[in-house]
Amino acid sequence: MLILYAAFHGVSRTLIRVSTPGKVTLFGEHAVVYGEPAIATAIDRRVRVEAERRGDDLIRIEAKDLTLAGFKALLSPNGSITLEGESKKVLAAISYVKRAVELIQEKYSVKRGAHIVITSEMPVGAGLGTSAAVAVSVVKAYSLLAGIELNKDECAELGYNVELSVQGIASRMDSTTVAVGGILYIDPKAEKTYEGIACRRGFEGLVVGYTNREASTGEMVERVKRFRDDVPEIVTPLINVIGEVARKARTYIEAGDFQRIGALMNINQGLLEAIGVSTSKLSQMVYAARCAGALGSKITGAGGGGCIIALAPGKEYEVMAALRAIGVSAFRASPTSDGIKVEEG
Amino acid sequence: MLILYAAFHGVSRTLIRVSTPGKVTLFGEHAVVYGEPAIATAIDRRVRVEAERRGDDLIRIEAKDLTLAGFKALLSPNGSITLEGESKKVLAAISYVKRAVELIQEKYSVKRGAHIVITSEMPVGAGLGTSAAVAVSVVKAYSLLAGIELNKDECAELGYNVELSVQGIASRMDSTTVAVGGILYIDPKAEKTYEGIACRRGFEGLVVGYTNREASTGEMVERVKRFRDDVPEIVTPLINVIGEVARKARTYIEAGDFQRIGALMNINQGLLEAIGVSTSKLSQMVYAARCAGALGSKITGAGGGGCIIALAPGKEYEVMAALRAIGVSAFRASPTSDGIKVEEG
C-alpha cells in the first residue's frame, strides 16, 4: 500500500468503478512508429480501478494484484513475488496513476482527494497495454469523481499523455485500443487515425505466451531506430513491408480468413526477426505454438522478451500446453469490443 | 558398390584424381532464383573423384563414403548407415555420376570405359553443394580421361546441366561456386554473372550446423513460388530486400567488417523466416549459435531442414559445442580459394 499526497477541493460522486481491457498488437508493431498502419485488439483481460471520494485532500493509491496468480511462479523461482523486481514494477505502475491524477488536476483545475485501488488481470510491463489501461482507467475514474465526463477518445488522448510523460516515449495505439475496444486498424497517416475492423466470422483462438522482458519498449524502439540509421536501404523497405502486411491482414480479418491471417502473422514474425527484436526464447515460443497447431504466431509488442500471440482456433489448449512445456506462462485472450467501462457504485 | 554399363571407345590417360569443394550460401538463397544477387563461398570440405581407365567399355561407379563419419551417428541411431535411407541417397548420388558421364559422351562423342570412385567429406543432400561437386568432379575427371581439357567455367556449365537433368531444377550458383572456388558474388542479371570477392582481412570463423532435411530444395523453391503468387505485394519486396542485403554484404566482406556481415546474416535469416523456409529446429540452431557468441547466423541453402552457418571468429568451438548440445552435428568450414583441382596420378 503506497500513499501519495496532493491538494484537494470540491465533492461529486462518492465511488467510481472503471475497468479497461488490455490489448495485443496483431500486426505492425515498430513499423507504426514510422507511420505504417498497425492492427491491435482489446482483449478480455482487464485492469480495474476503484476511485473513492475522501474527506480530505489526499490521493491514496493502492495497487492490489498487479500480476496474474499464474505469473507469480514464473517471475520468481520459489513461487512468491520477488520483492525487488515487483516493488519496482508496482512503483512504476504507481507513477502512471500519479501522473494521470495530476493531468486531470492541472487540465480541469480540480484538487479532489481520492482513494484509488488498482487491480490487474495481466502482468505489468509485458507489452499487453497494462500501463495504458491503468492510465486510461485512472483518467476516467478520477475525472468522473470530479464530475467531469470525458469520452473514450479524450480518455485515450490523456492516457497517451500520461504514458508519454512517464516513459518519455509512447504510442497512441495502446491508449486508443484499450479505451475504444475492439479490433482497430491504426493508421497514423490517415485522417481517421483509427477504425474498427469487423471480423465476419468473429475473431477467436488467440493465445498469449509470456516470458520475462530483457529490454524495455523504449530500448527496443531505440534499437530499431539505430538499425534503421545504420542500414536505411534495408530497414526502411522492411518497415514498409510490415505496413503492407498490416494492410493485407485487414482484408483477411474482415473476411474471417484465419488461415491467411495466420500466414501473415508468420511473415510479420520473420520481419520482426529481421529488424532484430526477437530473442531465442521468443522464437522458441513462436515455433512451439506453430508446432502445436497454431495457424500463425508472432511476437506481440516491442519484443526483447515479453509476449507472443498465437492464432489457434480450436487448438488453444494444445498451444497453451506446448508453451507451458517450454516453461512459459500462457493464457487465452479473446478480442473484446468493450473498451473502457464504468460501473457506477 | 554399384555398377552401371555404358559403351566404350579409345584410350588416353590411365588415372585421374579430381577434387572439388563443397559450398555454403552466405547471402541470397531463394532470392537468386528471382534474379537477385547472392554470395556463396567454396569451403574446405571436398568431394574426391578418381577415374581410372578400364580395358573394357564399362563404366563402374563406386560411391565410397558419401557421409562424414560424424554424420553417420546422426543419420542412423545405432551408429551405422541405415540401408534404406542411405542407399536412396547413394543411388541419387550415382545418378549425378551417370548423367555427367553421359553428357561428356554425348557432347564429345567419346565412349570410354572407366572405374569411378567417389568419396565425400560432406553429408549428401544437406545443401552444401555436394551434388554439384560430384557432377563437376566427374565431368572433369571423365573428360580428362578421354583427353579433353575443360576449363572451370565449362565444368561448371556442364555440372549445372547434370544437376538440371537429374533434379529438374538447379542453380548455376552451386556448380559455379564449387568449380571456380573462393567467395563469389553471383548476379544473374549482370553481364559477368559471377565475380570473386576478396575479403581484406581473410574470411574465417564459419561454422556449419547440420540437421535432417524435411523437404527437398525443389519443394522449398516451389513453396516460395506459391507464396509469392499468393501475396506478391508482400513477397516480391521481401525478395528485393534479400538482394539488397547481398549487395550490402559484398561491401562489408570486402572491408572485412565481420560485425556488420553478422548483422546482415541475421537480417537475412529473418527474411528467410518471413518467406517461410525456416523450421523450428533451424531457428533453434540459429539462436544457439548466436547465444554462443556468433556475430550472425542463418540458414544456408533452401531451408526446410539442412544446414545453418554461423559466423563466429574466435568462438568456433563454443558455437560447435552449443549446436552439439541441442543434438545437431557441427563442423568448421573455412572459405577456400581452391575450386576444382586435378592431381594427376
Side-chain angles (χ1 to χ4, degrees), chain B residues 6 26 31 40 91 125 158 161 165 186 222 226 230 250-251 263 271 315 332 337 340:
Chain B
L26 294 171
L91 277 175
L158 288 169
N161 281 304
S165 118
I186 319 275
E222 184 55 37
R226 280 200 308 274
D230 190 35
R250 179 185 184 164
T251 68
L271 292 164
K315 296 269 189 177
R332 294 182 67 165
S337 57
I340 192 167

Side-chain angles (χ1 to χ4, degrees), chain A residues 230 233 248 273 283 287, chain B residues 233 248 260 273 283 287:
Chain A
D230 191 35
E233 66 274 46
K248 197 84 192 169
E273 292 273 351
S283 175
Y287 273 104
Chain B
E233 64 274 46
K248 196 85 192 170
R260 284 204 161 86
E273 292 274 351
S283 174
Y287 273 104

Side-chain angles (χ1 to χ4, degrees), chain A residues 163-203:
Chain A
E163 287 215 283
L164 193 63
S165 112
V166 173
Q167 300 166 0
I169 186 165
S171 152
R172 279 194 171 79
M173 178 164 71
D174 283 19
S175 49
T176 301
T177 307
V178 301
V180 175
I183 306 176
L184 299 188
Y185 183 80
I186 319 275
D187 189 346
K189 287 178 180 162
E191 203 181 326
K192 278 184 79 174
T193 53
Y194 71 88
E195 288 182 81
I197 306 178
C199 178
R200 200 169 58 82
R201 290 165 58 191
F203 199 103

Side-chain angles (χ1 to χ4, degrees), chain B:
Chain B
M1 205 166 76
L2 287 120
I3 300 175
L4 293 176
Y5 297 87
F8 165 80
H9 275 302
V11 168
S12 176
R13 279 185 276 190
T14 56
L15 177 66
I16 307 288
R17 286 199 187 90
V18 168
S19 76
T20 306
K23 67 137 246 302
V24 292
T25 309
L26 294 171
F27 293 96
E29 46 272 275
H30 284 292
V32 74
V33 174
Y34 301 96
E36 293 295 329
I39 298 174
T41 182
I43 58 172
D44 58 354
R45 299 264 166 169
R46 301 181 79 85
V47 164
R48 293 171 204 285
V49 167
E50 270 189 25
E52 194 170 10
R53 199 182 77 182
R54 284 174 64 92
D56 55 20
D57 60 354
L58 298 179
I59 300 291
R60 188 169 117 171
I61 300 168
E62 194 175 337
K64 265 186 164 165
D65 178 20
L66 279 178
T67 57
L68 270 178
F71 293 134
K72 284 179 183 167
L74 181 78
L75 295 173
S76 157
N78 63 4
S80 66
I81 299 180
T82 310
L83 275 176
E84 298 73 28
E86 285 310 298
S87 67
K88 244 174 79 182
K89 285 190 178 178
V90 171
L91 277 175
I94 296 295
S95 62
Y96 292 95
V97 180
K98 181 172 176 288
R99 187 66 200 128
V101 168
E102 285 171 359
L103 214 63
I104 299 296
Q105 292 180 334
E106 289 160 19
K107 193 173 168 75
Y108 300 101
S109 303
V110 289
K111 291 189 171 292
R112 179 170 307 282
H115 178 192
I116 296 172
V117 181
I118 307 153
T119 56
S120 170
E121 297 171 348
M122 291 165 291
V124 173
L128 297 174
T130 315
S131 61
V134 167
V136 162
S137 299
V138 174
V139 160
K140 181 68 181 174
Y142 185 71
S143 58
L144 265 182
L145 208 63
I148 301 154
E149 286 274 358
L150 300 173
N151 66 27
K152 288 177 177 180
D153 284 338
E154 288 166 331
C155 289
E157 185 61 22
L158 288 169
Y160 164 72
N161 281 304
V162 169
E163 288 216 282
L164 193 62
S165 118
V166 173
Q167 301 166 0
I169 185 166
S171 153
R172 279 193 171 80
M173 178 163 72
D174 283 20
S175 49
T176 301
T177 307
V178 301
V180 175
I183 306 175
L184 299 188
Y185 183 81
I186 319 275
D187 189 346
K189 287 178 180 163
E191 204 181 324
K192 278 184 76 172
T193 52
Y194 72 87
E195 287 182 80
I197 305 178
C199 179
R200 199 169 58 82
R201 289 164 58 192
F203 199 103
E204 284 184 3
L206 280 186
V207 171
V208 173
Y210 169 66
T211 184
N212 284 326
R213 293 293 288 272
E214 291 161 21
S216 73
T217 296
E219 284 162 1
M220 298 311 293
V221 168
E222 184 55 37
R223 196 183 296 182
V224 173
K225 188 182 171 300
R226 280 200 308 274
F227 203 13
R228 180 166 165 270
D229 291 346
D230 190 35
V231 275
E233 64 274 46
I234 289 164
V235 178
T236 302
L238 290 183
I239 285 168
N240 296 343
V241 179
I242 294 176
E244 196 56 41
V245 168
R247 276 179 210 105
K248 196 85 192 170
R250 179 185 184 164
T251 68
Y252 292 155
I253 293 172
E254 284 167 345
D257 187 340
F258 288 102
Q259 286 282 351
R260 284 204 161 86
I261 297 167
L264 289 183
M265 286 169 70
N266 293 346
I267 297 179
N268 198 155
Q269 170 61 20
L271 292 164
L272 291 168
E273 292 274 351
I275 62 171
V277 301
S278 190
T279 67
S280 177
K281 194 70 191 176
L282 288 172
S283 174
Q284 187 190 13
M285 291 158 70
V286 158
Y287 273 104
R290 291 181 198 167
C291 293
L295 299 174
S297 59
K298 63 181 274 294
I299 292 166
T300 184
C307 292
I308 66 142
I309 41 163
L311 178 61
K315 296 269 189 177
E316 294 91 338
Y317 290 100
E318 288 86 338
V319 168
M320 285 191 282
L323 288 169
R324 286 167 185 158
I326 57 168
V328 301
S329 299
F331 57 88
R332 294 182 67 165
S334 296
T336 176
S337 57
D338 290 333
I340 192 167
K341 275 201 305 192
V342 181
E343 308 155 38
E344 291 177 34

